[in-house]
Amino acid sequence: MNKSQLINLFKVNLLYANPQATVQLRKKGKTGNKIYRSILMQYVLMGIFFTFIYGIIMVAIDFSKYPGFFTFYAALFSVMTFSQGVSILYNVFYDSKDLKDYLPLPFQQKDVFLAKFLIVALTLLPFLLPVFVLFVLTTVRSSLSLLIGLPLSVILFILFFFLCCGISTVLVSGLTQTQIFMKHKNIMTTLMMLIPAIGMAFGIMYINQKQSNIYDGTLSDQAIIYPFLPFHVVLTDLFSVNGFVSFAGILLACGLLIIVLKQWVIPSFYRLALGEESQAVSQKQTKTKPVKKQTYDGLPKQLLRYNINLIKNPTLLMQVLTSTLIMPMILAFPTIFGGLINLSSISNKFWVIAFLAGMFLALFTINSTSIISLIISLDRENLHFVRSLPISMKAYMKVKFKFAYMFQVILTSIVTLALALILHLPLLLVLFAVLGTWYGCFVGGMYYFNRDFRLLSLNWTNVSQLFTRGGGNFAMVFSMFGTLILGSLLIGGSIALIVFVPASLVVSLILFLVILSIGFIMFNHYKQTFWRNL
């Protein structure tokens, strides 16, 4: 192993995974190792964030006495890692298409793949760090001494981390080489990412529901997920026969996984990288498909079909669905899904509160990974072609904005209606919550549509590069939580005004007019600074 080559390959892949973040850092005057340190720091802060959030949830359970919950949490974070790993592995090993470029260069094959695996591991580590907390909490409350338990937790976490990353790699590699995947690549990739993510969301909701039982003292263990049980046995009873057998089984599984990765997965990556182009060329030469007669449907319909094709990227769809549908369930509304809130008897005088809640829900779900914040950059070089056509650029942009806005409205309205159903909201409040969602999508959409044009990137090679513009994932998470905190404060203050001020209808109307006025001011601002300059 050539350490200097490995380090350089790692840095290249790190920059490739975050090109827009690299550009932003260079604009701030950072160069050389400062850029690498800044990118790495983003992952460190993300890991601290996930560890803190889930650590608070898990600290109430004595996992040494509840092997069922231990295996459930381990399985949950494994599924979370797999849902993230599908897109990352696909991007790094398939979409990058750089493996064949390394062939004529003096790099060893193992260094090339080790650098890529390290990038994948770095990206997935924040999602698995809560497992380390799980291991530590388990061994601290077991009969093992801390001098043995803590180092054992570190060793087991490293083995668990390797197994999760390795198994995800094997599964993705196997699925991507099947005929059905090659025939329906976009659909299959989206399903591989979406199904585990949905399972993860339901798992979080299940945890939140059980959390209330912990504090009531009525918590009972659940069914054990046996593939994860050896880790619990080692952490709680290492010096027994079962403990030694379990530890040996974990080591054996890691050894077999190394053999599979080396003998099957890595060679398959190279075969795919070398065979794609030749296979595509041979298919093009041997098969000549009849050209379908095109009918002219008018410019609006053509632009609609064009924009639909732009958003078919599986990585994009997965990120959009995660941030819009799944993140609110996981982060913003834990107590709701615990069944602790029933608003069926709430008065209709809180209609403006429902409007505010819908608005902030929309603002929470719109971020740098939303369709409306990417729709212009998704054009790539086609945008230059459109500029050369005898059509109004303003009209073209309005079509794109309307398409992205309606897409966001549909997704966010689904979340709003689902939450309204869970909360048993009265019909009038449901109506205002949906109206607030539409309004919030418009307000947030104006900002992020203009942001996309301001941070326009047309030379991207992978759509995930667009997600890191303007601060990257770290800024996105803080924006979401900032919106959540601000929304909670404003909604709480508005409820206090309506409850304690006698003229509640007047207060509600004033609040409603203030909200609409802010939107009108924003609309005029972007009309002057953006739309008139197109």
Side-chain angles (χ1 to χ4, degrees):
M1 179 187 298
N2 190 319
K3 291 184 179 180
S4 62
Q5 286 187 354
L6 179 62
I7 292 173
N8 289 327
L9 285 169
F10 177 82
K11 289 181 177 180
V12 169
N13 281 277
L14 184 64
L15 295 179
Y16 177 80
N18 298 274
Q20 298 299 329
T22 304
V23 172
Q24 294 296 322
L25 291 170
R26 283 175 176 164
K27 287 181 179 179
K28 295 178 181 179
K30 294 185 177 181
T31 58
N33 290 328
K34 291 183 179 180
I35 294 179
Y36 303 121
R37 283 197 294 266
S38 297
I39 296 175
L40 290 173
M41 185 56 64
Q42 292 183 9
Y43 291 111
V44 171
L45 294 175
M46 188 69 69
I48 294 173
F49 170 77
F50 275 103
T51 303
F52 176 75
I53 291 296
Y54 290 108
I56 292 176
I57 297 175
M58 294 187 295
V59 73
I61 304 177
D62 184 356
F63 290 103
S64 64
K65 298 178 181 178
Y66 294 99
F69 274 100
F70 176 92
T71 56
F72 175 80
Y73 272 89
L76 175 68
F77 292 115
S78 299
V79 170
M80 183 187 300
T81 303
F82 178 73
S83 66
Q84 296 294 322
V86 169
S87 59
I88 295 166
L89 287 163
Y90 187 79
N91 293 337
V92 171
F93 287 101
Y94 292 96
D95 264 7
S96 62
K97 297 181 175 64
D98 61 347
L99 285 175
K100 58 180 177 294
D101 297 330
Y102 290 117
L103 290 179
L105 300 176
F107 292 122
Q108 296 184 21
Q109 184 187 82
K110 61 180 180 181
D111 290 342
V112 172
F113 279 97
L114 184 56
K116 285 183 172 292
F117 280 122
L118 287 174
I119 289 295
V120 173
L122 175 67
T123 312
L124 296 181
L125 182 60
F127 299 97
L128 273 180
L129 277 177
V131 174
F132 177 67
V133 178
L134 173 66
F135 287 179
V136 172
L137 290 175
T138 303
T139 193
V140 163
R141 296 180 178 180
S142 69
S143 59
L144 288 177
S145 168
L146 290 180
L147 294 176
I148 299 175
L150 292 180
L152 181 63
S153 299
V154 174
I155 294 171
L156 281 183
F157 173 72
I158 293 173
L159 296 176
F160 185 89
F161 182 69
F162 172 74
L163 286 172
C164 284
C165 294
I167 292 173
S168 297
T169 304
V170 172
L171 290 175
V172 171
S173 177
L175 289 171
T176 51
Q177 295 179 58
T178 60
Q179 290 184 354
I180 188 172
F181 181 89
M182 298 302 294
K183 187 176 181 180
H184 306 285
K185 184 180 294 185
N186 288 341
I187 296 175
M188 292 300 297
T189 306
T190 303
L191 288 176
M192 282 198 308
M193 293 184 288
L194 183 60
I195 292 174
I198 293 175
M200 176 185 68
F202 280 104
I204 294 295
M205 288 188 286
Y206 179 78
I207 289 173
N208 291 326
Q209 187 177 10
K210 289 292 184 181
Q211 200 74 10
S212 59
N213 296 334
I214 297 174
Y215 299 110
D216 293 341
T218 60
L219 182 67
S220 58
D221 202 11
Q222 60 177 33
I224 295 173
I225 304 175
Y226 284 97
F228 300 92
L229 184 59
F231 292 93
H232 184 270
V233 174
V234 174
L235 287 169
T236 56
D237 198 11
L238 173 64
F239 297 108
S240 66
V241 174
N242 288 337
F244 281 115
V245 171
S246 298
F247 191 67
I250 294 171
L251 293 177
L252 178 61
C254 292
L256 292 174
L257 186 58
I258 291 174
I259 295 173
V260 172
L261 290 171
K262 185 177 180 180
Q263 299 296 328
W264 178 57
V265 175
I266 292 178
S268 69
F269 283 143
Y270 259 112
R271 286 196 302 269
L272 189 64
L274 295 175
E276 279 184 339
E277 290 186 354
S278 60
Q279 184 179 359
V281 172
S282 62
Q283 288 179 349
K284 187 177 289 186
Q285 291 175 349
T286 56
K287 293 184 180 180
T288 303
K289 294 183 179 180
V291 179
K292 294 182 179 180
K293 185 177 180 181
Q294 298 292 329
T295 57
Y296 181 73
D297 294 328
L299 184 60
K301 289 186 178 180
Q302 289 183 357
L303 290 178
L304 176 62
R305 286 200 300 268
Y306 168 70
N307 283 296
I308 291 175
N309 288 329
L310 287 179
I311 65 171
K312 285 185 177 180
N313 184 287
T315 302
L316 172 63
L317 288 176
M318 180 59 204
Q319 190 67 44
V320 169
L321 293 175
T322 300
S323 61
T324 305
L325 300 179
I326 298 175
M327 288 299 287
M329 293 187 286
I330 295 177
L331 299 176
F333 306 100
T335 55
I336 290 177
F337 291 108
L340 302 178
I341 300 178
N342 188 323
L343 301 179
S344 58
S345 60
I346 191 173
S347 173
N348 286 331
K349 72 177 182 179
F350 292 102
W351 58 270
V352 74
I353 304 301
F355 186 87
L356 266 175
M359 182 188 74
F360 276 104
L361 174 61
L363 295 176
F364 179 80
T365 57
I366 298 178
N367 50 61
S368 59
T369 65
S370 302
I371 293 294
I372 204 164
S373 65
L374 305 168
I375 193 65
I376 304 175
S377 294
L378 290 176
D379 277 340
R380 303 219 294 198
E381 66 276 0
N382 290 338
L383 188 63
H384 299 306
F385 173 72
V386 172
R387 290 182 185 274
S388 66
L389 296 177
I391 62 175
S392 169
M393 197 64 187
K394 183 184 295 186
Y396 176 74
M397 288 294 185
K398 284 183 178 179
V399 170
K400 294 186 78 66
F401 179 81
K402 290 178 182 177
F403 168 80
Y405 170 73
M406 290 306 300
F407 185 91
Q408 188 68 37
V409 161
I410 292 172
L411 289 181
T412 312
S413 296
I414 291 173
V415 177
T416 303
L417 291 173
L419 291 173
L421 181 64
I422 294 170
L423 294 170
H424 306 286
L425 277 179
L427 184 60
L428 181 64
L429 298 188
V430 174
L431 175 62
F432 275 98
V434 172
L435 291 175
T437 296
W438 295 355
Y439 177 77
C441 287
F442 182 74
V443 172
M446 285 191 297
Y447 170 78
Y448 278 100
F449 191 77
N450 177 74
R451 176 185 180 274
D452 185 23
F453 190 81
R454 177 167 48 86
L455 303 176
L456 189 63
S457 175
L458 304 178
N459 59 347
W460 53 271
T461 57
N462 188 288
V463 71
S464 59
Q465 297 170 10
L466 298 177
F467 302 156
T468 58
R469 295 179 299 170
N473 293 331
F474 188 70
M476 183 187 73
V477 171
F478 270 86
S479 173
M480 293 174 69
F481 273 88
T483 302
L484 182 61
I485 294 172
L486 178 62
S488 300
L489 292 175
L490 289 179
I491 289 173
S494 301
I495 292 174
L497 287 174
I498 294 174
V499 170
F500 295 110
V501 175
S504 61
L505 179 60
V506 175
V507 172
S508 297
L509 289 173
I510 292 175
L511 289 173
F512 187 66
L513 290 175
V514 170
I515 297 168
L516 294 182
S517 298
I518 294 173
F520 182 75
I521 293 172
M522 287 185 62
F523 175 77
N524 277 329
H525 169 73
Y526 288 118
K527 183 178 180 181
Q528 298 291 334
T529 60
F530 175 69
W531 293 103
R532 286 192 176 180
N533 295 326
L534 291 175

